[in-house]
Amino acid sequence: MISIVVVYNNEYGLNEILLKSLRDQTAKFEIIKLDNTKNRFKSAAEALNYGGNQAKGKYIMFVHQDVELDSKSWLEKVELILDSIPTLGIAGVVGMSEKGKTNE
C-alpha cells in the first residue's frame, strides 16, 4: 500500500485535481492531507516530515495538490515497479513535458 502525503493550500485544487484522480484507483492507498491554508507549518520539510510520520503504507508518496495521476491503475503499476527493485531507497517521478503542457 502507498501512503500519499499532500500538503495543500488550495482546497479547490486539491479536490479537483489530485483527489479526483485518486477516486478510481485500482490499488489500495492511504491519503494524508495536511491543511496549510493558515500556515500551520513553518516549512515544507516540517509539513512533509509530519505527514510521513503518520504514514502506515509500505511506500510514502509525497505529492503536490495539483498533480493528476494519468490512469486508474497508476498506483498499482508504481507499487509493482517499486516491489521489483530489491535495493530501493528513494525513487522519484518527474511528469511534465518540456513544454509544460502535458505529462505524456
Side-chain angles (χ1 to χ4, degrees), residues 58-59 78-86 88:
K58 182 175 182 180
Y59 303 108
V78 166
E79 196 164 4
L80 289 171
I81 291 167
L82 296 176
D83 283 344
S84 74
I85 304 171
L88 178 68

Side-chain angles (χ1 to χ4, degrees), residues 54-74:
Q54 294 180 47
K56 299 200 179 14
K58 182 175 182 180
Y59 303 108
I60 304 172
M61 179 173 129
F62 297 101
V63 64
H64 289 221
Q65 65 196 6
D66 60 351
V67 168
E68 180 179 11
L69 305 182
D70 65 357
S71 76
K72 294 178 182 183
S73 60
W74 195 92

